[in-house]
Amino acid sequence: MTLRSVGILGTGKYVPDRVLTNADLEKMVDTNDEWIVSRTGMKERRIAAPDQATSDLAFHAAQAALRSAGITAEQLDLIIVATITPDMAFPSTACILQDRLGAKKAAAFDLSAACSGFIYGLATANNFIATGMYEYVLVIGADCLSRITDYTDRNTCVLFGDGAGAAVLGAVPEGRGFRSFELGADGSGGELLNLKGGGSRMPASIESVEGRNHYIYMAGSEVFKFAVRIMGNAAEEALKKAGMTKEDINLLIPHQANNRIIQASLSRLNLPEEKCMINLPKYANTSAASIPLALAEAAEEGRMREGDCVVLVGFGGGLTWGASVIIW
Ligand code: ACO
């Protein structure tokens, strides 16, 4: 079977209007701007309005991506929503979005790989299009982490924000588009980063709420060490699979979890900061939305030219990781 080349035809993003600054957080927990900026690089983050759910953020990002790709929702064959904060347990957020977009012929499903979800989604979509099964696939990373963040816990509440980013994928000329994917998981690290309540192991109950089990739990410094190691490894593996080296990179788009993790990845890849997309001062860590938000902003800012080598790389709960090399 001849495989088609697949690429990104359009990108879009959406963030809610409400801004939560470091100064706001100083009034909520025992923290300060200096600590947050020096440990993470974050200055503010966006918070969804009370009547906004993940599908609402995803909807606006999807519309922008469809406009940018120049196709209509009716042309979509598949919608993949990467999220760990679906509107509800079921139906999937992708099905809710399919209805709202009017994407009548599209199949739809959610994908759970935390902050690596968008790259997992791109790899899945790539394979459907490469084999000729589908023409157009919409991949979205969207999360409302504010709904699962404990705003009495200073260890985690400064880190997260809400947002959505989207990409429309389709066939592209030979030699362009996705050149490789590197996906991985280490389920033994699941206890380092999780949300215990609300699933079949611990259904919601008065006890689960009183035990604060419906919020993100994170062993911060363990996750930090894992992230520093895996970001460089995953990017280098993806480059190797693409037959390229770190010298070929024109733009790195990393998961926006912590500026110190990003800086460690840059030194590992021997890249200057100008070759890296960093928007975490504005949005903090938006989980599955982080990489597509940065990708959409990089596109808006004209940071990728035709033929550029763009590397996406991320890690997240699971533990999971993913990287992809794209010729823009
Ligand atoms: N303000 C002030 N002090 C704080 C804050 C805060 N917001 N948070 C923690 N501290 C304190 C701690 O209590 C600790 O105090 P102690 O020494 O008296 O106990 C001290 O600061 C140092 O804490 P550390 O955990 O050692 O700080 P570290 O340098 O590791 O930075 C951080 C913490 C930013 C969380 C870092 O570990 C990190 O970025 N980890 C990775 C996070 C990440 O990428 N998570 C991915 C989640 S994505 C997903 O899947 C949802």
Side-chain angles (χ1 to χ4, degrees), residues 61-311:
Q63 283 193 314
L66 289 167
R67 270 196 307 274
S68 141
I71 70 154
T72 63
E74 290 79 16
Q75 290 174 273
L76 290 172
D77 298 298
L78 173 65
I79 298 173
I80 301 172
V81 176
T83 187
I84 53 165
T85 49
D87 286 23
M88 54 186 96
F90 75 91
S92 68
T93 301
C95 281
I96 295 168
L97 185 65
Q98 185 252 15
D99 177 48
R100 188 148 172 215
L101 286 171
K104 289 193 170 42
K105 75 167 173 167
F109 64 86
D110 285 1
L111 191 159
S112 173
C115 312
S116 315
F118 183 71
I119 296 179
Y120 269 64
L122 292 179
T124 309
N126 171 77
N127 294 351
F128 277 118
I129 299 165
T131 53
M133 181 165 166
Y134 289 145
E135 286 304 318
Y136 297 114
V137 181
L138 173 65
V139 182
I140 299 177
D143 266 309
C144 254
L145 290 184
S146 63
R147 298 288 151 77
I148 56 167
T149 296
D150 182 351
Y151 287 100
T152 66
D153 175 12
R154 71 175 182 174
N155 291 293
T156 52
C157 75
V158 303
L159 301 173
F160 303 123
D162 301 335
V168 174
L169 273 60
V172 295
E174 185 73 36
R176 301 273 299 281
F178 297 105
R179 304 314 295 264
S180 70
F181 287 99
E182 166 67 14
L183 304 180
D186 176 5
S188 73
E191 79 278 8
L192 300 178
L193 189 54
N194 56 43
L195 188 154
K196 296 179 184 68
S200 56
R201 177 79 54 199
M202 189 193 288
S205 65
I206 290 168
E207 291 75 27
S208 73
V209 171
E210 284 174 353
R212 309 191 83 72
N213 287 301
H214 296 272
Y215 295 124
I216 297 172
Y217 166 79
M218 184 179 74
S221 59
E222 295 307 311
V223 175
F224 188 91
K225 282 180 237 157
F226 158 75
V228 165
R229 178 171 53 82
I230 209 68
M231 293 277 275
N233 287 358
E236 285 190 347
E237 273 310 307
L239 283 162
K240 199 153 77 182
K241 284 184 182 169
M244 300 173 92
T245 67
K246 46 196 181 188
E247 284 71 38
D248 295 316
I249 300 175
N250 296 107
L251 186 67
L252 180 75
I253 304 186
H255 172 39
Q256 310 283 311
N258 183 320
N259 192 41
R260 287 186 291 150
I261 296 171
I262 293 176
Q263 295 301 330
S265 311
L266 288 178
S267 29
R268 165 86 177 266
L269 296 169
N270 211 11
L271 278 184
E273 201 173 303
E274 307 84 78
K275 289 194 173 184
C276 184
M277 182 67 198
I278 301 178
N279 62 4
L280 67 77
K282 292 189 290 185
Y283 305 131
N285 179 351
T286 55
S287 190
S290 158
I291 291 173
L293 253 181
L295 176 70
E297 283 204 351
E300 270 171 25
E301 292 169 14
R303 293 192 60 178
M304 295 167 299
R305 281 169 307 184
E306 215 172 293
D308 273 359
C309 170
V310 179
V311 175

